Amino acid sequence: MSKSKVLVILALLLFVLSVSFQYRDEGAIATDLKSAILPIVTLFYFITVKKKSLFFTVFLLLFSFSELMVFIRPYVSYNLDYFLGNSLYILAYSFLIIEISKSISLYHVLRNYKIHLLVLTILNIYIIHVLQTIVDPFVEKSNEYYVELIYNIVMLLLLSVALVNYFYKDNVKALYLFIGALCIVFAEVIWVAYTYISERHLLQMVSTSLYVLAYYFFYKQSKIEQEFKQEEVDMLIN
C-alpha cells in the first residue's frame, strides 16, 4: 500500500474516532484526534502535489503547528498556548489570503464589484460584532479580546477574498477555495458557540466535520493545474 493511501486511511480513521469519542463525552480525546488530522493532510499534500504553492504551503505548516500545540498544552503556560496558538492561526489565514489574492486585479475588482464589496463589508462588520459580543463576557477588554478581534477580522477577510476570487475567476479552483474558506468560517463560528455558549457534543462534531471538509477542498484545489492563464491575462487587460 502506498504512503498516500496510508495517510488517507489514517486521516479518515482519526476523523471517525474523533467523532466517536466526542459522542461518548470524551471531548479532550476527540480534540486531540481532530488536531492530528491537518498535519496528516499536510504530509499527504507534500507527497502527492508536485507543483507546490509557497503561500499555501506556509498556510498548511502554520495551521498544522498550531493544531499540534494541543499536545504540549499541559506543559506550557496558558498565555503561551493561547497567544502563540492563535497567532499561528492568524498568520496561517493571512498567508492563505495572500495565496488567493495574489492573482486578482484590484483595479478590476474595485471597478466591477462595488456593490459586492459594500455588502460583504457590512455583513462582516455585523458578524464580527456578534462574535465579539459572544466572547466579551469571557475575555472583557484584555489582550485576549483584541486577539479574538484580529482573529475574526482575518477569518472573515479570508472568506470575502475567496468569494471575490470566485466572482473574478469563475473556475473550479476558485470554487474549491471558496467552499474551503466557507467551511472554515462556519467551523470557527460553531466552535465559538461550543466554547462560549453551550458545550453540546453535536456542535463540536459538526465543527470537526466542517474542518475536514475544508481540508478536503483546499487539497482538491491544490491539485488543479492553472489552466486559465490567458483568461487571467485578459481580465487584467480589461
Side-chain angles (χ1 to χ4, degrees):
M1 187 180 294
S2 65
K3 293 179 181 178
S4 58
K5 289 182 179 179
V6 171
L7 290 174
V8 170
I9 293 173
L10 182 56
L12 291 175
L13 179 61
L14 286 173
F15 170 67
V16 172
L17 288 173
S18 175
V19 172
S20 299
F21 275 104
Q22 186 58 50
Y23 181 76
R24 294 167 54 187
D25 200 20
E26 296 285 351
I29 299 176
T31 300
D32 291 347
L33 292 169
K34 173 255 180 185
S35 297
I37 296 175
L38 183 61
I40 292 174
V41 173
T42 302
L43 285 175
F44 185 70
Y45 169 78
F46 277 107
I47 291 173
T48 59
V49 177
K50 295 181 180 179
K51 190 176 180 181
K52 301 175 181 64
S53 164
L54 174 62
F55 296 119
F56 185 71
T57 300
V58 175
F59 157 72
L60 288 176
L61 290 173
L62 290 174
F63 207 102
S64 295
F65 289 151
S66 190
E67 290 282 277
L68 290 173
M69 283 190 65
V70 70
F71 297 106
I72 65 170
R73 185 169 294 163
Y75 312 104
V76 299
S77 67
Y78 170 80
N79 285 337
L80 178 62
D81 175 58
Y82 179 86
F83 290 106
L84 180 57
N86 282 294
S87 296
L88 288 174
Y89 282 128
I90 291 169
L91 284 173
Y93 287 147
S94 298
F95 275 99
L96 186 55
I97 290 170
I98 295 172
E99 167 65 23
I100 296 173
S101 62
K102 66 183 182 182
S103 59
I104 297 177
S105 167
L106 182 60
Y107 174 75
H108 177 89
V109 169
L110 292 176
R111 191 180 70 173
N112 294 279
Y113 302 119
K114 296 183 182 68
I115 301 298
H116 304 71
L117 293 175
L118 178 61
V119 172
L120 283 172
T121 300
I122 295 173
L123 183 60
N124 286 344
I125 291 173
Y126 174 74
I127 295 175
I128 290 170
H129 170 72
V130 171
L131 292 173
Q132 292 302 117
T133 300
I134 293 173
V135 304
D136 184 65
F138 302 93
V139 298
E140 297 180 344
K141 290 297 185 290
S142 64
N143 290 332
E144 292 181 21
Y145 177 89
Y146 297 105
V147 170
E148 295 286 342
L149 178 60
I150 295 171
Y151 192 106
N152 291 331
I153 290 173
V154 172
M155 177 182 69
L156 290 170
L157 181 60
L158 168 62
L159 179 61
S160 299
V161 170
L163 180 57
V164 170
N165 180 62
Y166 176 62
F167 290 151
Y168 179 72
K169 296 179 179 176
D170 193 19
N171 58 40
V172 176
K173 185 179 179 71
L175 177 61
Y176 285 166
L177 279 168
F178 169 64
I179 296 176
L182 187 64
C183 288
I184 282 284
V185 170
F186 275 119
E188 294 278 8
V189 171
I190 292 173
W191 186 259
V192 168
Y194 170 80
T195 304
Y196 296 106
I197 299 177
S198 176
E199 293 188 358
R200 295 180 181 274
H201 304 319
L202 179 62
L203 291 176
Q204 186 169 7
M205 287 189 285
V206 172
S207 179
T208 300
S209 301
L210 287 170
Y211 274 120
V212 173
L213 273 177
Y215 304 158
Y216 170 77
F217 281 109
F218 284 149
Y219 171 76
K220 286 287 289 183
Q221 68 81 28
S222 70
K223 292 285 288 182
I224 299 175
E225 295 293 333
Q226 290 285 3
E227 299 174 350
F228 311 98
K229 295 296 183 181
Q230 187 58 50
E231 176 185 336
E232 292 177 3
V233 170
D234 292 341
M235 284 185 174
L236 289 172
I237 294 175
N238 296 329

